[in-house]
Every structure is written in structure tokens, then in C-alpha cells.
Amino acid sequence: NTDIIDVGVTKTNNLDVPPNFVQAGWYKYGPLPGNPGNAVIDGHVDNGGKVNGPFKRLKETKIGDDIFVKMSDGSTVTFTVKNLAVSSYKAFPKENVFHGGENSALVIITCHGKFLPSVKTYDQRLIVTAVRKVSDVAVQKLPSVAMSR
């Protein structure tokens, strides 16, 4: 479980991340989870050391797992994991991540691979894509994400 804050883009036009290691960030220029398109949430895996981030265990996710997004109105939107992908941090697949179709999808992104102290990031990104399982929820802003198997 983690609280989610709004994030946008950096000065270099990359997806921003939360300024701390306890929250995740929802891409505020995209759809809310449950609405058509790709709702994108990112967060730190850790600080490159001993402080765990909200997505430390995201690498344990498997295809078929359910992800529950609790909305601010108390409703829950459920997604089922359909794809796990790893990309280089230098070749992040922006088109695939941000441009979904008419279906409702959730894309969760975190760092993965080897920590590179010289650039203070990991060399890869883990991208988990899930599709909406339930279609009967009117969505509002989201305060938290929970994962279960």
C-alpha cells in the first residue's frame, strides 16, 4: 500500500517521480485509473541503498495477479496484470506506456537492474501493465494502491 501524489514531467520532458521514497506518483496529464487509456503510476524501488520505496516488491508481480486501486471516493478499481517488461532507462518506451487505446489499463513503473551511482539511478525500468477487471466504478482521484496475489 502506498499513498499517491500527482506528478508531471521534468524539465527534460521525462516522467517525474515523487520527491520522496514513500509515495508513488500518478501521471496527472493522463487518465485516472479506471478511465479509458493508460493510467500511469511510478515510484521508487529504493534509494539505491537501504531505504525501500513503495515498489520494492513490484518485481515479484506475476501475470494474472490483481492490483487494487482505492479511489478517494472509497471505491476500488481492480486490474489484472497482463504484461511485465524491462527496458533500459535510456530507451524508455514512452509511446507504449502513455498512449493506450480505448480500454482501461494501469501501467506501473519503477527502477530495476543495477544501481548506477554516477547517475543516481538504476540502469533499467520495470514496467507492469494491467487491464481493468471490473467496469462498474465511477472514478475519482486516487489515494493509494494495494497489490495482492
Side-chain angles (χ1 to χ4, degrees), residues 40-88:
V40 178
I41 296 175
D42 70 347
H44 297 283
V45 66
D46 58 36
N47 70 342
K50 296 181 181 185
V51 177
N52 290 341
F55 295 136
K56 182 68 175 181
R57 297 184 59 203
L58 189 63
K59 65 185 175 189
E60 299 170 15
T61 303
K62 306 236 182 306
I63 291 176
D65 285 352
D66 285 339
I67 299 172
F68 305 95
V69 179
K70 185 175 180 183
M71 309 305 282
S72 63
D73 67 357
S75 65
T76 300
V77 183
T78 305
F79 296 85
T80 301
V81 175
K82 294 296 182 192
N83 189 53
L84 306 166
V86 174
S87 73
S88 166

Side-chain angles (χ1 to χ4, degrees), residues 18 22 50 57 61 83-85 94 99-100 105 110 114 135 146-147:
V22 297
K50 296 181 181 185
R57 297 184 59 203
T61 303
N83 189 53
L84 306 166
K94 292 179 183 179
H99 300 291
T110 196
K114 180 181 174 188
S135 62
M147 295 180 64

Side-chain angles (χ1 to χ4, degrees), residues 65 67 79-83 104-108 128-132:
D65 285 352
I67 299 172
F79 296 85
T80 301
V81 175
K82 294 296 182 192
N83 189 53
S104 174
L106 176 68
V107 181
I108 301 176
V128 175
T129 304
V131 296
R132 188 170 181 183

